[in-house]
Amino acid sequence: MDNISILPSTPGKLKPEKYYQPYNNNNNNYYIHRIRLSKLTLWSSIFLAFIIFFFILSPSPSPNSIRTHNPWGGPDWEKRVTKSARRSSASSLTVLVTGASGFVGTHVSLALKRRGDGVLGLDNFNRYYDPNLKRARQKLLSRAGVFVVEGDINDEKLLQKLFDVVPFTHVMHLAAQAGVRYAMQNPNSYIHSNIAGFVNLLEASKSANPQPSIVYASSSSVYGLNSKVPFSEKDRTDQPASLYAATKKAGEEIAHVYNHIYGLSITGLRFFTVYGPWGRPDMAYFFFTKDILKRKQITVFESPDGGSVARDFTYIDDIVKGCLGALDTAKKSTGVGGNKKKGNAQFRIFNLGNTSPVPVTELVDILERLLKVKVKRKVMPMPRNGDVRFTHANISKAQRELGYMPTTDLETGLNKFVRWYLDFYNPLKNKSVW
């Protein structure tokens, strides 16, 4: 670059009057032409020299940089995919778990692998919350023999490749843009993941041969402004209170279309406020714990009439049991390779909750006891951000058809979470957390 720096700072500003006199004759025209040609040759040479200089100094792309740009594909990658998806017996499942490095995805993947099912994960490791937590979950999965492909469910070529390499019997679709409040900041992320991404996954699934059975995560938020409690699968879900809820409701309707036309066997699971170890930092129990340990004041919301805000907190192990029950009872799809269905296919929706709503104030009381720290509280009215006052699940359908029976009360579950939290965010190991 030093050779280039000695060039004039304003190239091209030559003064023609110093080289010729503006007489209108052939001789002068000849000199004008020569001067212009010389200038053109000069700058062409400089440009060519600059290009050569640039390519000499620029490093050639390495295989690593190519893999970073396209982190999937190739014989080694296919071997890892095939090995991870290998099942222990002919009766075991072969499951693609989307959002595998997420909270629920990690626990479901581990549970499937432990019982001998073939499991392949897919996750895009977005930055909605700390990606270091997702990477830690990925390491946990890797130690258990679960390979997590880094990619997005909106990548059609990647999904097609995965279905070409592995004949999945089931898809556990947990990838989604979560959170009610974040929708007010980044609404497009919800459309991208929860609607476009879901459609893309269903397209890949209906075109596969054989078609897998689909189990996907919906949400208790679809009940929206419904005031009838407890929430039943038969209740109306046409009054969403947030964009997140609306995209989850849209997902349920889209699932029905693919079931109706293409014969995909589809089961939706409406999760009710899942909590536990390896949880999401955007959830109240998680950031309450962090702030309490930092001796920070926490904000507890109350309903506009001064009533308690309550949630049907459901421990992660109970949710996992419901997910596995849904996979185990899912019937085969009835379509082949994208063609219309040969017969009616199974279509189900279940609530997965704990059936025992707990006021958020009681949640704080439990954390105060477990952490042995006096909590500084600030009570405020609920903001208009799409949150609802309460959730309460009727789980009789899941009990009857999935054998679903939650067994973990909130204090027991929070105790397990707090022990994990203190171990994972040990201040002696990672002072930056505190």
Side-chain angles (χ1 to χ4, degrees):
M1 299 297 292
D2 292 336
N3 293 333
I4 296 176
S5 65
I6 64 174
L7 296 174
S9 59
T10 54
K13 293 185 179 180
L14 300 176
K15 297 181 180 180
E17 63 271 18
K18 291 186 179 181
Y19 293 88
Y20 67 94
Q21 294 298 322
Y23 294 130
N24 189 17
N25 55 49
N26 292 335
N27 191 47
N28 283 328
N29 288 337
Y30 170 75
Y31 283 107
I32 293 172
H33 176 72
R34 285 194 61 183
I35 291 171
R36 288 176 176 171
L37 183 61
S38 298
K39 289 168 64 180
L40 179 62
T41 302
L42 172 64
W43 292 113
S44 297
S45 300
I46 292 172
F47 179 75
L48 181 60
F50 177 80
I51 294 297
I52 294 172
F53 182 76
F54 176 81
F55 277 103
I56 290 174
L57 291 185
S58 298
S60 58
S62 66
N64 288 335
S65 63
I66 294 173
R67 283 197 297 269
T68 300
H69 177 69
N70 182 13
W72 56 269
D76 292 340
W77 179 86
E78 289 191 18
K79 286 180 181 178
R80 296 185 71 186
V81 166
T82 303
K83 181 179 179 181
S84 182
R86 187 176 299 129
R87 53 187 178 177
S88 62
S89 69
S91 61
S92 299
L93 311 182
T94 304
V95 188
L96 172 65
V97 180
T98 69
S101 289
F103 173 31
V104 179
T106 296
H107 285 274
V108 170
S109 297
L110 290 172
L112 288 169
K113 198 67 175 179
R114 277 195 298 267
R115 69 179 200 174
D117 294 318
V119 184
L120 180 69
L122 176 64
D123 203 292
N124 69 355
F125 296 93
N126 67 34
R127 302 186 67 83
Y128 168 61
Y129 60 79
D130 183 12
N132 291 323
L133 179 56
K134 299 178 184 180
R135 294 297 181 184
R137 298 189 192 121
Q138 182 187 27
K139 291 178 181 178
L140 189 69
L141 291 170
S142 180
R143 289 196 295 269
V146 177
F147 176 44
V148 180
V149 175
E150 186 164 353
D152 197 287
I153 55 174
N154 281 285
D155 188 336
E156 296 177 14
K157 292 182 179 179
L158 170 57
L159 285 183
Q160 182 179 347
K161 181 68 173 179
L162 293 177
F163 280 95
D164 287 343
V165 174
V166 179
F168 296 107
T169 61
H170 295 72
V171 172
M172 185 76 219
H173 177 50
L174 298 168
Q177 176 57 63
V180 169
R181 301 172 189 176
Y182 184 62
M184 299 182 73
Q185 303 174 38
N186 189 1
N188 288 336
S189 65
Y190 291 78
I191 307 302
H192 177 79
S193 295
N194 301 356
I195 297 180
F198 191 27
V199 169
N200 197 46
L201 179 70
L202 292 172
E203 279 289 308
S205 298
K206 62 96 170 174
S207 299
N209 187 11
Q211 287 181 339
S213 301
I214 312 293
V215 178
Y216 72 96
S218 185
S219 169
S220 63
S221 68
V222 300
Y223 291 108
L225 302 179
N226 177 36
S227 58
K228 174 182 169 293
V229 292
F231 299 156
S232 167
E233 294 89 345
K234 295 179 181 179
D235 292 342
R236 62 186 298 182
T237 55
D238 59 352
Q239 295 179 304
S242 66
L243 178 62
Y244 169 68
T247 60
K248 284 298 186 179
K249 173 60 177 175
E252 293 186 354
E253 302 301 329
I254 290 168
H256 183 272
V257 171
Y258 278 81
N259 167 266
H260 174 67
I261 297 176
Y262 299 107
L264 282 174
S265 171
I266 303 181
T267 302
L269 303 176
R270 293 172 177 169
F271 295 158
F272 280 71
T273 316
V274 190
Y275 74 100
W278 298 98
R280 281 176 24 212
D282 64 319
M283 299 290 285
Y285 73 94
F286 199 114
F287 61 74
F288 279 174
T289 298
K290 181 178 180 180
D291 288 345
I292 290 170
L293 287 169
K294 288 184 174 182
R295 275 60 176 179
K296 288 185 176 181
Q297 177 179 270
I298 65 171
T299 300
V300 179
F301 294 122
E302 62 181 11
S303 62
D305 61 0
S308 298
V309 174
R311 292 288 181 269
D312 199 344
F313 295 100
T314 314
Y315 188 63
I316 182 61
D317 289 358
D318 292 327
I319 288 292
V320 170
K321 292 174 186 175
C323 291
L324 268 58
L327 288 167
D328 291 340
T329 58
K331 295 181 179 179
K332 291 184 178 181
S333 296
T334 63
V336 178
N339 298 318
K340 291 183 179 180
K341 64 184 181 183
K342 294 182 178 179
N344 291 331
Q346 187 181 54
F347 185 78
R348 308 177 295 174
I349 292 179
F350 296 102
N351 288 337
L352 294 186
N354 197 48
T355 75
S356 301
V358 177
V360 175
T361 52
E362 186 174 332
L363 166 76
V364 177
D365 290 341
I366 295 172
L367 289 175
E368 188 175 52
R369 290 197 300 271
L370 294 174
L371 296 170
K372 298 179 175 60
V373 176
K374 185 64 177 176
V375 178
K376 304 173 185 176
R377 313 179 194 210
K378 180 180 181 182
V379 179
M380 293 183 63
M382 287 182 65
R384 293 182 177 275
N385 57 13
D387 270 331
V388 295
R389 175 181 168 182
F390 56 83
T391 59
H392 185 183
N394 178 335
I395 62 170
S396 58
K397 184 180 178 182
Q399 286 176 320
R400 185 172 61 252
E401 298 186 30
L402 306 181
Y404 173 72
M405 181 62 71
T407 59
T408 310
D409 64 84
L410 183 59
E411 183 151 7
T412 300
L414 284 177
N415 185 40
K416 293 179 180 180
F417 165 74
V418 166
R419 283 189 294 172
W420 167 82
Y421 186 96
L422 295 175
D423 179 63
F424 188 77
Y425 294 111
N426 189 323
L428 299 178
K429 295 180 181 178
N430 189 359
K431 294 182 180 180
S432 63
V433 173
W434 309 97

